[in-house]
Amino acid sequence: MTQDASTSAAKKLFIKTYGCQMNVYDSQRMAEAMGAEGYVLTEDQAEADMVLLNTCHIREKAAEKLYSDLGRLKPLKAARPDLKIGVAGCVAQAEGEEIVRRMPLVDLVVGPQTYHRLPAMLRGEAPAILTDFPAEDKFDHLPERRATRRAPAAFLTVQEGCDKFCAFCVVPYTRGAEVSRPVDRILREARDLVARGVREITLLGQNVNGWHGSGEDGREWGFGRLIRAIAETPGLDRIRYTTSHPNDMAADLIEAHRDIPALMPYLHLPVQSGSDRILKAMNRKHTADQYLRLIDRIRDARPDIMLTSDFIVGFPGETDEDHAATLRLVETVGFGTAFSFKYSPRPGTPAFERPEVEGAVADRRLQELQALLNRQQKAAQEGMVGRTVGVLFEKAGRLPGQMVGKSDYLHSVFVDAPEAVPGDLAQVRIVESAANSLRGELLV
Ligand code: SAH
Ligand code: SF4
Ligand code: F3S
């Protein structure tokens, strides 16, 4: 076994990642697991010895992408029959051997909770299709984190799975039941990342704020307490987290936003709809008013917080009045940015059989909502002009001497900073708002 990336004999692994940040994190961990088997990453699919597609099942279009990508791999596999093709992630979990039946060129199918066994599968020491929910914790069987790239910002999964069963959503089926990783493992991974040059960590979970565990003091900790502990990691400047559920926004987490300078003033808090009738049909277990009161409490704790959200339009049974209620909620809150999707019926979910809203109606509602959200995003960006914010530089910008990084509020900011290197955290005055980014000047 070799870990030496410079040997020309090293086999090459190409990974394509679809879906959410947790898939991005999982792809890194799979790359590390395969690294221990002598594989190095390549950006060029044509030279790969193994192609791994890490898939997303959230909407029909996302899932269908897998099959069109597999179709495109046929000539490559025909030319090089020893090429290994693996399917990982949430489509792998949901469809299992159906994938191999539809696309016999696939060699391996591995779910999100079994990918620590990928090397054994490749060696033929484990079944080629593995989509169970094993009792053991995959993280205990993965190699230590090695920063594959020296990026100053990194993800860290602290919680996985979901017990909430929103009527439209596949995640409880593809990721399994809610599991929180233990405190000591999380703190160790945070320290390892910082030792490798990471200055910002985004804590990940399908319901990240539902995280709970036994703390180092022997008490039961909630997510706010965990953030306090992570914030003590020497050298760690910034903490973010995603995705949260409104019903798990506990008081100690809201207080963390007030008390912990490293916790960035940014919160992604999906609400899906502004209509109580639809929220109930979605099984979200809160009302629009409860969401609005929660936002008030969060803004009391951290007045400058940037709020973002997810919305689904055209959920079965949604009327024009329900849609108007969503637009009203958006007007009331004022989001920094938001994701909005047309409802996609997913097999196996409770809403799948319900009568659908007419396509053209859902399209119109999506356009209306997106127009409003775009106006809010523009206003939020323009509101940054004249303000001084922290920017963590990530890489060189388009122009000579320019760096680009993320502001405290997660805007991309371009700055003239010829002396700066990735990983520098600078104070920057914002001078201009462009389409999808800001421009700022270094404060000297
Ligand atoms: N755990 C997160 C969301 C995970 S999925 C939460 O509870 O909010 C990310 C987003 O995809 C969801 O917030 C929802 O807006 C959207 N989504 C999920 N299922 C969908 C479906 N069937 N059709 C359209 N959008 C969907
Ligand atoms: Fe899906 Fe709802 Fe769970 Fe989020 S809370 S992952 S939307 S079931
Ligand atoms: Fe997609 Fe699975 Fe993430 S369905 S959004 S990759 S949890």
Side-chain angles (χ1 to χ4, degrees), residues 210-280:
W211 180 93
H212 57 92
S214 328
E216 294 170 310
D217 53 7
R219 297 200 178 160
E220 181 70 7
W221 285 10
F223 188 55
R225 183 66 189 82
L226 178 70
I227 288 178
R228 282 173 202 267
I230 295 173
E232 282 162 22
T233 311
L236 181 63
D237 295 314
R238 285 174 153 189
I239 301 171
R240 305 181 186 277
Y241 60 91
T242 199
T243 299
S244 344
H245 193 286
N247 292 354
D248 289 328
M249 270 328 280
D252 79 321
L253 178 54
I254 297 176
E255 284 157 18
H257 277 284
R258 183 193 63 202
D259 300 338
I260 301 177
L263 184 56
M264 290 292 102
Y266 182 98
L267 175 61
H268 183 64
L269 197 60
V271 63
Q272 315 298 354
S273 168
S275 153
D276 288 345
R277 235 174 45 81
I278 294 300
L279 285 167
K280 191 157 198 298

Side-chain angles (χ1 to χ4, degrees), residues 58 161-172 178 206-207 243-245 270 272 282-284 312:
I58 202 84
C162 181
D163 298 340
K164 294 217 160 34
F165 293 92
C166 299
F168 49 81
C169 185
V170 296
V171 171
E178 278 188 21
Q206 267 89 33
N207 273 301
T243 299
S244 344
H245 193 286
Q272 315 298 354
M282 287 176 163
N283 193 31
R284 291 289 293 183
I312 295 178

Side-chain angles (χ1 to χ4, degrees), residues 71 104 158 180 198 203 297 384 390 439:
V158 301
S180 295
V198 167
L203 306 172
R297 285 173 55 214
M384 288 288 149
R439 200 167 60 76

Side-chain angles (χ1 to χ4, degrees), residues 58-60 167-169 282 311-318 340-347 349-357 359 362-363 366:
I58 202 84
R59 283 168 290 274
E60 190 179 0
F168 49 81
C169 185
M282 287 176 163
F311 294 90
I312 295 178
V313 303
F315 187 77
E318 188 188 67
S340 45
F341 311 98
K342 191 161 112 171
Y343 169 70
S344 170
R346 307 304 290 128
T349 61
F352 183 61
E353 302 289 344
R354 299 182 197 165
E356 277 177 61
V357 169
D363 284 335
L366 186 62

